[in-house]
């Protein structure tokens, strides 16, 4: 693998994301030789850490995520890390940062390449982008920036942030990260759809009755009440992860696998996304909040959550496209905290056919993303010793050994940033369209809140979310496949 020279600057270097995901992933890429002799990482945050202390943190992060490591390798890797105490609002600090980056560039022969990573509270993204620009932090080689979610809070703030970032970076150099696009089974959607005649030929409204996407989480909001209460499930999960999944399922076949062609196919589809009216929001969307149990808090009692909060910890909804291979097919989705189990799955529900046996199952296709990775198709056959139809699943599943080889989503996506492949990142025009949809729903809810009659279903924790979500289907023959 090619050794890519680069100075990487992580804003939020003392944070949880850097510790849990970025440092271990960078280590794996280092071991594979993608970044090796000619790279250095500057971790920045407000805390007064030393280079040495950051290196200890990096080493701890690797030990926490790897069973066996070569201590010399860990030491050599950690020696590439530098810490710069940094207040993102202080212009002087960018001057110091620039100087350090330049020094390290010389020391590591990084050829003026810079990679900026925004891994801190999103409210600072705009400030950082502005100062990268006005203090000329970009280098003389390539300049790329990775931006964590949420990218904005609504379309207006997303546009503002995009303006601030594009002042220093071209669209092609902006990597809006969505870790779902790094997941094995999400990356499997395109090959599954486009290489199997069996699947490709039925991918239309003629055969598909509906599509269902479930992103269920067992955990509550945990220590993130402060952030979550300003976000809610729609912004936290639908705006990004669910919409990316929907797009992969509904887009036309790209003309090839280049990043440009994939994004072109996505954008073509998204033009025909139907933005819901307030009446449709009322009819097709359900929002909910989890109640408490003997051992857990109700959402409204969680730390840093407003006791009168109307923020949803659950949302179910429906969307459709007017063009593309599955134009007109209802796509139902739901996501929530404190479900009965962690489960990310996609169900492609096929239409029934008339047959001389009477009752038979439609050949539903299920893609399980988490915690297991598998695809299964329901098949009908005959029962052995009595009349009737028996149902079996044909399963495509990974062995334990194969699963162990699957890289973490962050490792994959960081790799893509280094090799400049933006296929699995969100393009601005996609993001904008997602926000248009989300804003329409949020606005409708806001109006209901202001009118004093918000319909927020309260649901019991560790079950399947509010019952009301059973009523969003277009026809009485439709229901949630995963129950
Ligand atoms: C994040 C959300 O983007 O995704 C979290 O902010 C959520 O609220 C998480 O818990 C879920 O990711 P995963 O990979 O565990 O399904």
């Amino acid at each position: 693998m090619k050794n890519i020279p680069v100075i990487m600057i992580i804003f939020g270097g003392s944070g949880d994301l850097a510790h849990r995901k970025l440092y271990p992933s960078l280590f794996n890429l280092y071991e594979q030789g993608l970044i090796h002799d000619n790279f250095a990482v500057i971790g920045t945050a407000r805390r007064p850490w030393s280079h040495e202390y950051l290196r200890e943190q990096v080493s701890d992060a690797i030990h926490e995520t790897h069973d066996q490591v070569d201590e010399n390798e860990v030491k050599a890797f950690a020696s590439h890390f530098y810490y710069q105490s940094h207040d993102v609002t202080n212009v002087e600090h960018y001057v110091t940062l620039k100087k350090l980056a330049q020094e390290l560039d010389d020391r590591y022969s990084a050829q003026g390449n810079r990679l900026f990573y925004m891994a801190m509270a999103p409210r600072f993204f705009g400030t950082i982008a502005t100062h990268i620009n006005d203090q000329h932090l970009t280098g003389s080689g390539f300049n790329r920036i990775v931006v964590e979610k949420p990218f904005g809070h609504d379309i207006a703030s997303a546009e503002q942030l995009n303006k601030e970032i594009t002042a220093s970076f071209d669209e092609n150099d902006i990597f809006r990260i969505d870790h779902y696009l790094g997941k094995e089974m999400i990356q499997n959607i395109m090959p599954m759809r486009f290489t199997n005649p069996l699947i490709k030929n039925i991918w239309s409204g003629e055969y598909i009755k509906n599509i269902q996407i479930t992103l269920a989480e067992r955990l509550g909001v945990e220590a993130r009440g402060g952030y979550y209460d300003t976000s809610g499930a729609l912004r936290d999960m639908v705006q990004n992860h669910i919409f990316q999944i929907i797009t992969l399922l509904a887009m036309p076949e790209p003309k090839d696998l280049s990043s440009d062609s994939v994004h072109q196919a996505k954008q073509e589809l998204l033009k025909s996304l139907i933005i819901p009216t307030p009446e449709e929001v009322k009819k097709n969307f359900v929002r909910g909040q989890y109640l408490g149990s003997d051992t857990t808090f109700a959402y409204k009692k969680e730390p840093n959550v407003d006791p009168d909060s109307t923020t949803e910890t659950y949302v179910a909804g429906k969307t459709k496209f007017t063009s593309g291979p599955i134009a007109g097919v209802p796509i139902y989705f739901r996501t929530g905290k404190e479900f009965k189990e962690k489960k990310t799955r996609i169900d492609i529900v096929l239409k029934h056919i008339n047959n001389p046996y009477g009752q038979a199952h439609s050949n539903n296709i299920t893609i399980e993303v988490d915690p297991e990775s598998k695809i299964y198709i329901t098949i009908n056959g005959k029962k052995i010793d009595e009349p009737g139809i028996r149902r079996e699943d044909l399963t495509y599943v990974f062995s334990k050994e194969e699963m162990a080889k699957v890289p973490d989503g962050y490792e994959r996506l960081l790799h893509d940033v280094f090799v400049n492949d933006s296929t699995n990142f969100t393009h601005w025009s996609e993001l904008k369209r997602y926000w248009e949809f989300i804003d329409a729903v949020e606005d409708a809810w806001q109006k209901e809140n202001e009118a004093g009659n918000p319909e927020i279903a309260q649901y019991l924790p560790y079950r399947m979310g509010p019952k009301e979500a059973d009523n969003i289907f277009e026809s009485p023959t439709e229901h949630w496949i995963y129950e």
Side-chain angles (χ1 to χ4, degrees):
M1 211 181 261
K2 201 168 145 232
N3 170 27
I4 297 190
V6 64
I7 304 298
M8 180 170 180
I9 299 174
I10 302 180
F11 295 95
S14 67
D16 189 51
L17 177 74
H19 193 89
R20 278 189 312 111
K21 295 291 182 187
L22 305 185
Y23 299 151
S25 299
L26 287 170
F27 178 67
N28 293 345
L29 297 174
Y30 173 80
E31 285 209 299
Q32 293 156 34
L34 183 69
I35 42 172
H36 211 267
D37 301 325
N38 308 108
F39 89 98
V41 178
I42 306 175
T44 80
R46 278 166 79 113
R47 299 175 202 196
W49 285 6
S50 62
H51 299 323
E52 214 28 65
Y53 190 74
L54 173 64
R55 288 171 196 159
E56 279 168 32
Q57 291 298 311
V58 170
S59 163
D60 288 352
I62 293 158
H63 287 109
E64 284 158 26
T65 45
H66 293 71
D67 289 339
Q68 277 182 333
V69 278
D70 175 341
E71 291 306 329
N72 289 330
E73 281 273 281
V74 176
K75 229 172 145 191
F77 171 71
S79 74
H80 289 257
F81 282 72
Y82 296 81
Y83 187 76
Q84 180 67 53
S85 179
H86 182 89
D87 170 356
V88 294
T89 59
N90 187 329
V91 175
E92 289 301 309
H93 288 192
Y94 291 86
V95 179
T96 318
L97 194 55
K98 182 180 175 176
K99 221 171 122 236
L100 177 60
Q102 193 50 54
E103 271 168 37
L104 294 175
D105 195 305
D106 294 341
R107 190 176 319 162
Y108 289 93
S109 308
Q111 299 177 15
N113 295 335
R114 298 281 184 276
L115 172 56
F116 301 87
Y117 199 116
M118 297 220 199
M120 59 191 308
R123 65 179 185 280
F124 298 121
F125 291 173
T127 312
I128 299 170
T130 302
H131 293 317
I132 289 177
N133 185 45
D134 59 29
Q135 299 310 308
H136 312 291
L137 252 74
T138 49
S140 56
F142 71 63
N143 286 286
R144 297 179 193 148
I145 186 164
V146 184
V147 191
E148 275 292 333
K149 62 164 274 271
F151 195 100
H153 183 73
D154 51 22
I155 192 150
S157 55
E159 267 170 345
Q160 175 62 24
L161 175 59
N162 203 48
K163 209 165 119 201
E164 284 154 346
I165 295 176
T166 47
S168 302
F169 299 89
D170 290 339
E171 173 63 30
N172 288 343
D173 297 321
I174 304 170
F175 293 79
R176 297 178 195 83
I177 198 164
D178 181 324
H179 75 282
Y180 268 64
L181 289 179
K183 288 182 190 266
E184 180 65 20
M185 295 314 275
I186 301 297
Q187 295 199 345
N188 226 332
I189 294 176
M190 279 182 37
M192 185 200 78
R193 279 191 53 199
F194 301 128
T195 64
N196 293 298
L198 187 68
I199 295 178
K200 186 172 162 172
N201 290 328
I202 55 99
W203 211 260
S204 74
E206 196 180 338
Y207 300 104
I208 299 182
K209 186 171 183 180
N210 66 56
I211 291 185
Q212 306 181 5
I213 299 166
T214 304
L215 267 54
E217 296 194 88
R218 171 85 188 169
L219 295 176
V221 296
E222 308 251 277
R224 297 164 76 220
Y227 150 74
Y228 197 87
D229 209 34
T230 62
S231 165
L234 190 72
R235 290 191 176 101
D236 189 48
M237 299 290 273
V238 181
Q239 190 276 335
N240 34 67
H241 311 321
I242 289 187
F243 259 112
Q244 280 293 352
I245 298 174
I246 292 175
T247 308
L248 285 167
L249 292 166
M251 69 195 239
E253 184 169 321
K255 80 173 188 301
D256 55 48
L257 294 178
S258 68
S259 172
D260 280 353
S261 300
V262 171
H263 285 294
Q264 225 170 43
K266 288 183 171 183
Q267 287 155 26
E268 193 182 317
L269 168 79
L270 289 172
K271 280 189 222 146
S272 80
L273 172 68
I274 301 176
I275 307 290
T277 62
E279 295 69 42
E280 284 164 342
V281 172
K282 203 166 175 52
K283 203 165 119 221
N284 300 332
F285 284 76
V286 170
R287 48 178 167 156
Q289 281 177 338
Y290 57 78
L291 292 164
S293 71
D294 291 348
T295 51
T296 55
F297 289 125
Y299 174 64
K300 286 185 189 170
K301 300 232 165 84
E302 293 277 17
N304 302 320
V305 168
D306 177 355
D308 297 321
S309 178
T310 53
T311 302
E312 75 291 354
T313 60
Y314 175 98
V315 58
K318 184 182 92 169
T319 187
K320 266 186 194 177
F321 295 92
T322 55
S323 77
I326 53 165
V329 172
I331 303 172
Y332 302 104
F333 54 82
R334 59 186 163 162
T335 181
K337 302 278 185 197
E338 297 203 353
F339 255 64
K340 74 168 184 190
E341 61 185 347
K342 170 79 184 170
K343 182 76 83 182
T344 303
R345 64 180 265 172
I346 301 161
D347 293 286
I348 320 295
V349 183
L350 299 193
K351 290 182 177 167
H352 278 282
I353 49 167
N354 288 331
N355 69 84
Y357 294 90
Q359 195 58 40
H361 304 276
S362 61
N363 302 124
N364 294 344
I365 305 169
T366 297
I367 305 171
E368 290 214 5
V369 179
D370 275 323
E372 277 183 286
S373 297
K374 59 180 177 186
I375 302 173
Y376 48 94
I377 303 183
T378 311
I379 290 283
N380 296 303
K382 75 175 267 308
K383 283 189 177 162
I384 298 173
D385 49 6
E386 55 179 312
I389 291 300
R390 129 184 187 177
R391 169 202 160 138
E392 286 294 333
D393 290 336
L394 293 182
T395 309
Y396 169 107
V397 69
F398 294 91
S399 66
K400 265 212 175 88
E401 294 72 37
E402 283 171 321
M403 274 316 287
K405 279 197 239 149
V406 173
D408 179 76
Y410 269 93
E411 179 182 334
R412 261 192 183 137
L413 296 173
L414 271 172
H415 170 275
D416 292 352
V417 176
F418 286 120
V419 303
N420 201 18
D421 179 354
S422 49
T423 314
N424 287 310
F425 292 82
T426 310
H427 191 279
W428 167 243
S429 52
E430 295 152 24
L431 188 99
K432 204 169 149 207
R433 200 72 183 128
Y434 300 156
W435 273 127
E436 276 164 18
F437 185 99
I438 300 298
D439 279 4
V441 181
E442 291 285 356
D443 287 351
W445 283 350
Q446 189 54 32
K447 291 213 174 75
E448 287 177 22
N449 294 351
E450 283 161 11
N453 59 352
E455 283 175 33
I456 304 171
Q458 305 295 309
Y459 63 95
L460 290 170
Y462 312 122
R463 311 241 177 118
M464 287 302 288
K467 277 242 121 318
E468 286 81 345
D470 296 346
N471 303 329
I472 64 170
F473 293 99
E474 284 186 359
S475 88
T477 63
E478 293 174 297
H479 60 93
W480 293 109
I481 298 297
Y482 163 57
E483 282 180 315

